[in-house]
Amino acid sequence: MADLQDEPHANPVTPVGPGSLGAEDPTGTLLPGALDRAAALLSVHPVADGCNTLVRTLRESPYHDIETSDTGVDTDIPRLRAGGVGAQFWSLLMPREAGTTDQVVSDTLEQIDVALALMRRYPDSLRLALTADDLADARNRGRIASLLGPVPGRTLTDSLGALRAFHALGVRILAPAGAPWAAEGLTAFGHEVVKEMNRLAMLLDLRGCPPAPACQLAAASKAPVIISHTGAAALNPHPDNVTDEVLLALRAANGLAMVSFDTALTGDSLHAVADHVDHVRAVAGPHCVGLGAGFGAEPGTPRPAGLTDPSGYPRLIAELLERGWPETDLALLTWGNAQRVVRDAEFTARAAQHRRASGAA
């Protein structure tokens, strides 16, 4: 039955054209036929976006109503639907300058509360997803599947209790960057964290990790790892962008690098973002590339021209179609690869639980 749930059901995508949200085309180069093909593809294989910071924005500015077009924030339900977004990873990370570990834990718990309240407030549009089956079921019912995470890895100190508590609250992703147990390589406790995350079917998000720890984490995890928000360092040597060395490690581990729409990481145009997507696909392979835009901010955040909010996704897919991407690879980019890493993490967890039950090492 789970395999049947993975088969996509068509959901209408509002076409992006003149007058639509996110319809600007500074270069005027996209052909109408490509946009039509992109909308048709997204109606069957919607976007599973790896990064949106709306939860943090709503915690700071709770007056936004995302059920209608809200000009005070770049993410709302109409624009998610116009862009063909079928699943969203809601980031629960703090700014890097956040204070003590206790403060980060407290802030993270508050953000989880805001995220869960968001699901309750908009039940006809958003559905909490805890498993790969939940992802597929939400999509098939016309809901936007909502995965909680990542949470900051530095919330874990010398105990795995916080990790298990986050899992019980619905969190399914954790980012080790900045955690002392993964700063310059995995400590003994870091290995225990990875092992427990594999047992719980939680995903490791390597965003912000330097290359050496990132490669070590990818090798230590028995489940695929992800990078939820990044660009290609070969095209832009930003410290948060993924190097080819790490992309090759992701390829070996069947992981996933999700390309950002942050101008600092990937440039100020749709074409620049497409270049980063092309590079990640070329190095890591079509099974290891995804999309993690990083929307969810209030006005003033720089965005690439043509990709200023989630409704611009059909434009990016149209650009990739014009670059010769086969629709099979685009279906992996938008939905298939994200679905796979969540499901593979669950397979790994079941295997670990079976070994524990049988007394195997």
Side-chain angles (χ1 to χ4, degrees), residues 9-257:
H9 290 197
N11 291 307
V13 175
T14 304
V16 176
S20 298
L21 292 163
E24 69 275 17
D25 183 1
T27 62
T29 58
L30 288 177
L31 299 176
L35 282 170
D36 291 342
R37 290 175 61 199
L41 185 141
L42 288 170
S43 71
V44 181
H45 305 284
V47 172
D49 182 286
C51 179
N52 190 298
T53 62
L54 181 66
V55 171
R56 188 169 75 200
T57 299
L58 293 180
R59 179 177 170 233
E60 297 168 353
S61 306
Y63 51 81
H64 292 296
D65 179 9
I66 67 165
E67 194 165 32
T68 59
S69 298
D70 188 333
T71 58
V73 70
D74 65 22
T75 299
D76 52 44
I77 290 167
R79 282 180 281 188
L80 289 168
R81 293 199 180 281
V85 176
Q88 182 65 70
F89 295 19
W90 300 104
S91 175
L92 303 172
L93 295 179
M94 302 291 111
R96 287 179 178 173
E97 62 272 15
T100 64
T101 298
D102 286 347
Q103 185 62 51
V104 173
V105 171
S106 175
D107 288 347
T108 301
L109 290 172
E110 285 191 24
Q111 294 207 137
I112 293 171
D113 184 60
V114 171
L116 294 174
L118 193 67
M119 310 300 127
R120 293 192 297 268
R121 186 175 181 183
Y122 304 107
D124 293 335
S125 297
L126 304 177
R127 176 177 171 179
L128 180 65
L130 303 177
T131 67
D133 282 351
D134 289 345
L135 278 173
D137 188 56
R139 177 196 59 190
N140 293 343
R141 294 174 185 269
R143 308 294 196 273
I144 297 168
S146 298
L147 285 90
L148 299 189
V151 295
R154 61 191 181 112
T155 55
L156 313 181
T157 52
D158 58 353
S159 169
L160 298 176
L163 179 65
R164 289 189 281 267
F166 285 140
H167 181 269
L169 290 171
V171 173
R172 291 297 179 266
I173 312 165
L174 179 137
W181 48 266
E184 299 179 0
L186 279 178
T187 64
F189 177 68
H191 281 283
E192 288 301 311
V193 171
V194 173
K195 183 177 179 181
E196 185 67 1
M197 289 185 68
N198 286 170
R199 189 187 71 80
L200 294 171
M202 293 180 70
L203 292 171
L204 277 161
D205 180 359
L206 306 186
R207 60 181 294 179
C209 288
C215 290
Q216 187 179 10
L217 283 159
S221 177
K222 295 184 182 299
V225 297
I226 68 170
I227 306 177
S228 66
H229 183 67
T230 190
L235 302 184
N236 175 15
H238 191 283
D240 287 342
N241 280 349
V242 62
T243 64
D244 285 0
E245 174 192 11
V246 177
L247 286 175
L248 291 172
L250 286 178
R251 183 173 191 147
N254 292 316
L256 178 60

Side-chain angles (χ1 to χ4, degrees), residues 214-302:
C215 290
Q216 187 179 10
L217 283 159
S221 177
K222 295 184 182 299
V225 297
I226 68 170
I227 306 177
S228 66
H229 183 67
T230 190
L235 302 184
N236 175 15
H238 191 283
D240 287 342
N241 280 349
V242 62
T243 64
D244 285 0
E245 174 192 11
V246 177
L247 286 175
L248 291 172
L250 286 178
R251 183 173 191 147
N254 292 316
L256 178 60
M258 308 178 89
V259 176
S260 167
F261 297 178
D262 184 330
T263 57
L265 302 184
T266 48
D268 60 2
S269 71
L270 178 151
H271 305 293
V273 172
D275 289 342
H276 283 261
V277 177
D278 270 339
H279 184 85
V280 173
R281 173 175 172 252
V283 177
H287 289 82
C288 297
V289 58
L291 299 167
F295 291 126
E298 293 181 304
T301 302

